[in-house]
Amino acid sequence: GVLALTLLILMGKAFNFGRIETWENRIEQFASDEELSDQNRYAKMAIASGQVFGKGPGKSDWRNFLPNPYADFIFAIVIEEYGLVGAIFLICLYLLFLHRSIRILLKSPNSFGALLAVGLTLLITIQAFINMGVAVHLFPVTGLTLPLISKGGTSVVFTTFAIGIILSVSARVEEGKDLNPKNMPNQPLDDLEPLEPELQ
């Protein structure tokens, strides 16, 4: 992964891709002691004005000034409208989603399905926490959306597909648990009905 990322950066510099320069500028600005960008400054003001319980749903003032308030910096608006309580509740929902995926991993007899479900869950939760970190200025601006919260087409499509796959793996785990001989009722073999001729 590190080699692939290094190769991507070198190719971007060689072919002069615009996004590479944007990434470098964002990282340099975050690492230096320069003045905050407008996005970060407005996001911090929105977070500070939310306090503990927030201003209430739809009563945000800083969404009119913050660039991309419903995409990259939606978490700042969530804190402004719902306060610290709403932010903690949202974080707990993502942690609960991760916990349920880990339970699928522990119960699944099929390693491929379990690892697929956990991998997709980690993609969603890591993206969520990176977005939250950007809003509170723990990370440089990345442009990642907050899954299931931010406005966006491609992100919503990918997230819903990922959750559908996770639910499919979970359903197969439940089916496998029902078919486990340990879960079958203790019934004498003599009481079982004979199979139909085509099933014998």
Side-chain angles (χ1 to χ4, degrees), residues 1 87 146 157 181:
L146 188 61
V157 170

mmCIF file of all heavy atoms in Angstrom, residues 1 87 146 157 181:
data_model
loop_
_atom_site.group_PDB
_atom_site.id
_atom_site.type_symbol
_atom_site.label_atom_id
_atom_site.label_comp_id
_atom_site.label_asym_id
_atom_site.label_seq_id
_atom_site.Cartn_x
_atom_site.Cartn_y
_atom_site.Cartn_z
ATOM 1 N N GLY A 1 0.809 -1.205 0.000
ATOM 2 C CA GLY A 1 0.000 0.000 0.000
ATOM 3 C C GLY A 1 0.852 1.269 0.000
ATOM 4 O O GLY A 1 0.550 2.232 -0.699
ATOM 5 N N ALA A 87 -23.495 14.988 18.804
ATOM 6 C CA ALA A 87 -22.238 14.495 18.235
ATOM 7 C C ALA A 87 -21.844 13.165 18.849
ATOM 8 O O ALA A 87 -21.443 12.221 18.146
ATOM 9 C CB ALA A 87 -21.138 15.526 18.442
ATOM 10 N N LEU A 146 -19.390 12.276 5.031
ATOM 11 C CA LEU A 146 -19.801 11.530 6.214
ATOM 12 C C LEU A 146 -20.870 10.532 5.784
ATOM 13 O O LEU A 146 -21.965 10.924 5.396
ATOM 14 C CB LEU A 146 -20.351 12.481 7.273
ATOM 15 C CG LEU A 146 -20.666 11.893 8.646
ATOM 16 C CD1 LEU A 146 -19.416 11.314 9.283
ATOM 17 C CD2 LEU A 146 -21.266 12.952 9.557
ATOM 18 N N VAL A 157 -24.469 5.905 -2.995
ATOM 19 C CA VAL A 157 -24.600 4.655 -3.741
ATOM 20 C C VAL A 157 -23.635 3.602 -3.202
ATOM 21 O O VAL A 157 -24.012 2.451 -2.939
ATOM 22 C CB VAL A 157 -24.356 4.891 -5.249
ATOM 23 C CG1 VAL A 157 -24.251 3.573 -5.991
ATOM 24 C CG2 VAL A 157 -25.473 5.737 -5.843
ATOM 25 N N PRO A 181 -26.619 -28.409 13.376
ATOM 26 C CA PRO A 181 -27.249 -29.535 14.074
ATOM 27 C C PRO A 181 -27.461 -29.282 15.555
ATOM 28 O O PRO A 181 -28.383 -29.834 16.160
ATOM 29 C CB PRO A 181 -26.240 -30.678 13.840
ATOM 30 C CG PRO A 181 -25.508 -30.300 12.607
ATOM 31 C CD PRO A 181 -25.438 -28.807 12.618
#
